[in-house]
Amino acid sequence: MVQTFEGFVGQVWQEFPQLAEWHDDDPNLLQLWDLETFIEAGYHNFHASRKELYHISKLIENYAKDNGQPLLATFEKITRYKFVEKRYQKMIEQIPKIWVVADYGKTTIKTPPKIDVINCKDTPLFDVWSVITRGPYGPFGLIAEEYEDGKFRGFFTLNSNVCRHALKIMGKALGKKFDIQ
């Protein structure tokens, strides 16, 4: 029997169905993990709230900043980006490029030239929360989607093939190419 998957995370799992079956531990553990613990795990499924995702996001953002690597971050709404906007504008001084993907409707967003804000309104990415950067072996990061108000399902992956596939799906939906490979 062929398993079907829904949403953005489902599209990724469609290509890598074995990953959908991996562990999904207590989401409270996610806040206790540092980046090294996530890297040691290699891949980790979860159901979580914004609080846990924010923790993982900051770990990845700090890695990008500390290592001078590009960063792609998706936000469901532009108001979520506004929450971190000043931090991103400071981070861009140390990294080559930031792509911010959010549903911002017709709002005008002014950013430094190395921050590219992309509208995901009317795309399948409207409920996606992701933070992806380049590590020593290729792209890695957090990929999640909101399935209920404030509740997300997703995963952290160190597998560059999984991240490349997610970036390809995002790029196709947005008509963009993300140079994080």
Side-chain angles (χ1 to χ4, degrees):
M1 184 168 124
V2 176
Q3 190 168 10
T4 58
F5 302 104
E6 295 180 10
F8 180 75
V9 170
Q11 281 185 279
V12 176
W13 283 342
Q14 194 71 37
E15 185 71 18
F16 303 93
Q18 71 281 10
L19 297 179
E21 304 303 320
W22 281 43
H23 53 279
D24 184 350
D25 295 330
D26 178 357
N28 294 321
L29 294 176
L30 298 176
Q31 287 186 263
L32 303 176
W33 287 15
D34 59 11
L35 186 59
E36 289 304 313
T37 306
F38 280 103
I39 288 171
E40 285 173 19
Y43 181 89
H44 186 79
N45 285 333
F46 54 77
H47 284 81
S49 69
R50 283 189 176 85
K51 186 175 183 179
E52 290 88 14
L53 294 186
Y54 183 69
H55 170 72
I56 301 168
S57 297
K58 284 196 67 170
L59 295 174
I60 298 166
E61 292 163 358
N62 287 338
Y63 178 91
K65 182 180 75 172
D66 294 345
N67 292 279
Q69 295 299 329
L71 181 76
L72 173 117
T74 62
F75 301 85
E76 312 98 299
K77 298 282 181 199
I78 199 62
T79 53
R80 305 257 188 260
Y81 169 65
K82 290 291 189 186
F83 181 70
V84 298
E85 182 177 28
K86 287 184 180 169
R87 187 160 45 93
Y88 273 40
Q89 288 179 350
K90 193 170 182 103
M91 253 187 356
I92 199 61
E93 297 169 6
Q94 297 166 308
I95 66 176
K97 179 81 173 175
I98 297 177
W99 293 273
V100 172
V101 177
D103 176 355
Y104 60 85
K106 295 180 182 183
T107 306
T108 302
I109 311 296
K110 294 184 187 218
T111 61
K114 294 192 313 182
I115 299 178
D116 187 6
V117 179
I118 304 161
N119 198 346
C120 69
K121 183 176 175 64
D122 300 325
T123 74
L125 304 176
F126 72 94
D127 61 353
V128 173
W129 179 325
S130 65
V131 181
I132 300 172
T133 192
R134 184 182 320 142
Y137 308 108
F140 75 94
L142 155 72
I143 298 167
E145 66 189 338
E146 192 170 31
Y147 64 89
E148 192 175 296
D149 189 35
K151 295 182 181 177
F152 296 81
R153 71 173 181 153
F155 55 87
F156 170 89
T157 186
L158 194 60
N159 185 321
S160 60
N161 291 326
V162 174
C163 275
R164 283 186 188 104
H165 185 67
L167 290 166
K168 181 179 170 185
I169 295 168
M170 286 182 199
K172 186 175 180 180
L174 298 166
K176 296 278 185 183
K177 182 170 175 27
F178 302 108
D179 189 22
I180 300 181
Q181 320 290 330

